[in-house]
């Protein structure tokens, strides 16, 4: 039960940070999203995001900041295996399923619903 509470608090905290960026700092949704991804990447690069995931579970692994952590994690793993070129391939290897899903489901939604613009 305690794990669920911490997941709620950590995940909610990340969402509160994003909402403050939107409301107080008047950042656009795109700037907010990129900022959270970069923050996750920096925390992942410093080795601080994995302990947060172990502590809060889905509260840390579901928000968009986890995507930045995944990018860095994949880059580091491939760097060890393939050297410098592995940095680029590792980024795509780890996150390709999420990126592909977003493209496919976005396309399907555009077919079903009338997009604006």
């Amino acid at each position: 039960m305690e794990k669920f509470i911490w997941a709620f608090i950590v995940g909610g905290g990340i969402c509160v940070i994003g909402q403050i960026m939107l409301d107080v700092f008047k950042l656009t949704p795109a700037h907010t999203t990129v900022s959270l991804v970069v923050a996750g990447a920096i925390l992942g690069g410093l080795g601080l995001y994995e302990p947060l995931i172990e502590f809060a579970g889905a509260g840390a692994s579901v928000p968009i900041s986890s995507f930045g952590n995944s990018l860095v994690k994949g880059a580091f793993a491939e760097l060890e295996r393939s050297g410098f070129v592995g940095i680029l391939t590792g980024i795509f290897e780890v996150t390709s399923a999420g990126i592909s899903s977003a493209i496919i489901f976005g396309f399907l939604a555009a077919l079903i619903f009338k997009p604006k613009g």
Side-chain angles (χ1 to χ4, degrees), residues 100-113 115:
S100 298
S101 297
I103 292 169
I104 291 168
F105 290 123
F107 176 74
L108 291 174
L111 289 176
I112 296 170
F113 303 103

Side-chain angles (χ1 to χ4, degrees), residues 40-105:
I42 291 170
L43 290 173
L46 296 173
L48 300 174
Y49 207 86
E50 286 300 318
L52 184 64
I53 290 175
E54 290 175 21
F55 174 72
S61 64
V62 171
I64 193 71
S65 53
S66 179
F67 184 73
N69 177 54
S70 295
L71 290 172
V72 170
K73 193 165 132 182
F76 282 164
E78 281 298 310
L79 175 64
E80 289 179 13
R81 280 191 283 191
S82 305
F84 187 71
V85 175
I87 293 173
L88 296 175
T89 60
I91 289 171
F92 297 115
E93 183 177 321
V94 172
T95 59
S96 62
I99 294 169
S100 298
S101 297
I103 292 169
I104 291 168
F105 290 123

